[in-house]
Amino acid sequence: MNDTPQRLPSRLLPIVIGIILLVAGLAMLAGGIKLLSLDGTRYYAIAGVAFAIDGVLLIAARSSALGLYGLILMGSIVWSVYEVGFSWWALVPRLALWAVLGLVLLLPWVRRPLAARGRRVGNGLSTPTLVVAVLGAFGLALGSQFTPDPTTIVGQIPAHRDHPVKPAYAAGADWPSYGGTDAGTHYSSLAQINTHNVGQLKVAWKIETGDLPGPHHPAEITDENTPLKVNHTLYVCTPHSKLLALDPTTGKTKWRYNTQLSQEGAKNFSGWAHMTCRGVAYQATGDDDSDGSPGQTDTIQDKNNTQNAPATSSCPRRIFLPTADARLIAINADTGQRCANFGDDGQVDLARHQHPFKPGGYYSTSPPVVADGLVIVGGHVTDNSSTNEPSGVVRAYDATTGKLVWNWDAGNPDQTRPIGPKQHYTRNSPNVWAPMSVDHKNGLLYLPVGNAMPDQFGGNRTSADEKYSSSLVALRVKTGQIAWHRQLTHHDLWDMDPPAQPVLTDMTTRDGMQPVVIQPTKQGQLYVFNRVTGKPVVPIHERPAPQGAVKGDHTAPTQPHSALNLVPPRLTGADMWGATPFDQLACRIRFRSLRYDGQFTPPSLQGSISYPGNVGVMNWGGVAVNPADQSLFVAPKYLAFVLQLVPQEQAKRMEQAKSENGGLQPNTGAPYAVKIGPLMSPLGLPCQAPSWGDVAGIDLQKRKIAWRHPNGTARDETPIVPLPLPVGVPALGGPITTAGGVAFESGTLDYYVRAYNASTGRQLWQARLPAGGNATPMTYEADGQQYLLVTAGGHGTFGTKFGDYVIAYKLPVKPH
């Protein structure tokens, strides 16, 4: 007989887990009480009490702790499914942590010490209850993986409806304009790369431009460039306004124009909210054979740097380069020399007739357009710096001589004759920072007009500001006179100006085929007008808007709403998200603490939720339209922002931010500064549930979304371990579509360029990029092969990795 006393199992692990549960329960109870005071859900307070009790039972080594935990987990499952259904990503923060902890509680090292207290754990319902709950949680997680995201739409756009595509709407062997053509469709008639072979794309060549952020860059590099392919050459501009001419088959540099930025601070980025060159414009003033056949530029000798080369008066083909120090330079497209007969030795000063401004406070980030012998240029103005910013004037210069032909200033819209030598444009008038479009046949220029500064306070705006801010304006190319205009956001207090190039195409309507202009917007609306008359083709309804602006301002009673839109549903407390129940609870508390009355909630001292936020559902990347089947491809993003007005006295005590999309922005001259930032959890994740970025296809004939699904992964945003979780991430950069039935997009937060079946949305191919590809791709043909071209240079505001890459892809074998 062995009288040696048996060693009791250690109670250390149950005690540790019990303490964790007790602390977690008390924290949830405190947060839950706060949430209840804000009229939020009761779950967290109830669960907090239950977890705290369960923690005490574990510390006391009571086997009933297992059964109680099982009941808590079952209740959490029921509550979660009630709130969000079977959406996997929405269930993760509600159940994942508790399910894993339930699994830990079933380990023998936890159960045995509880049994040693005088009861066998196997007796009663404690262990079976916990087993059932854990199996239910993991079963729900597994099953919900096969449940489509609730925003997913499965469908198909009928391809090739036999609508002839006009040359004005389609790029071909060349990509001669920022949007493919001046219609801005982002569509190519090339079909060598198609849905059957796109998966075979390989890198054809890759270069580095040498333009990277310097050692001091408080401002942001934003490489948003879409190169041109024309004149048997690729023309690439960089954030520091450098211009490269590349061989389209090899990437070899033909010549380089190294702009010497002249304004103070240009070398260390001081003063610039961001350094951007989205593109350049091309003009052939003489005979041009840019059809893909061999031409004279194939024999140009490589030049390392031509900024000091003598200017030439003979420029039969020229590139117009806008620079970050507010110049417009005309460069010989063949040699890289300045065109001496344009302006002053090849350049015009865009700061002329502007009142003085800070370095970086005004310049053209988007490419100019060339029409009727004119080169027409707008300008970026720094957001929310002051109420005394440069004019947003649009100017047309003679493309050969650089002489000013007309100017359209929204602050003085009827006086389009060239301004007098000693006159100045209207200070702080609405600007045109996004790309413009041209209807050459009808002689019309389409301007996406922005806001008078500041964005979030409109009490100081003039009647002209109120009329033209956040509008689509059609001007007559030859004179700059207004043909028609439509305001897309009334008394804009949210930075909801039209951010993208207007798209020109034809649409089938009940009145037959109509020439239309489609304006993508940040708020998710797609406005469609007859581009000649300005009459809506898709109905627009004025809907009541939330009221209650701060003292000294007002709110428009209604806002326009298009019947064709990608506007997300109104946020609710159930939409709040996080990695764990705790940061989700924090998000719920913050959501309830802020003002939110739906879309167009006015900015407030309390802080207001703006959803979609000012990054927009759509931004400067715009949309791609296939004129052949009348379809539209878009990569919408959904991020909520918080807008909080700060009285100036208080603002002076706070640190000012350089970024236009984060921190405190001064609004000098207005009664309030503004604090802008995304609605984020304490762990730095968006507070609203995924998806945060989709791809979608719209059938324009049926006026409806044909398909939509989350796009992109959290690979480059996941701490420590780069997990390719298909969460759906935002994209900053635009798509293109082709006659091969393929759409391309590269702007997501993860560093990939992807190809999709444009008819169904199915992803067909992806390639890893060495840096953020936050630009719009383009495609062209050279030596009989189709290429896909992507610039990957990163984006400071978007937080993607910096680089200086230009990458071309092609099929390994030329199709027959």
Side-chain angles (χ1 to χ4, degrees), residues 46-59:
I46 295 172
V49 171
F51 280 124
I53 293 172
D54 205 53
V56 172
L57 291 175
L58 277 170
I59 294 169

Side-chain angles (χ1 to χ4, degrees), residues 11-48:
R11 291 176 52 196
L12 179 60
L13 186 56
I15 289 174
V16 170
I17 296 174
I19 292 172
I20 292 172
L21 272 179
L22 176 59
V23 173
L26 292 175
M28 285 188 69
L29 175 60
I33 292 172
K34 174 65 175 177
L35 188 58
L36 276 173
S37 72
L38 298 169
D39 295 324
T41 177
R42 298 185 182 92
Y43 167 79
Y44 293 94
I46 295 172

Side-chain angles (χ1 to χ4, degrees), residues 319-342:
I319 295 293
F320 293 101
L321 170 69
T323 69
D325 56 358
R327 287 180 284 164
L328 180 64
I329 303 176
I331 299 170
N332 187 313
D334 298 337
T335 67
Q337 298 172 301
R338 292 192 312 279
C339 300
N341 60 344
F342 180 82

Side-chain angles (χ1 to χ4, degrees), residues 733-747:
I736 63 170
T737 60
T738 70
V742 182
F744 295 97
E745 190 268 337
S746 66

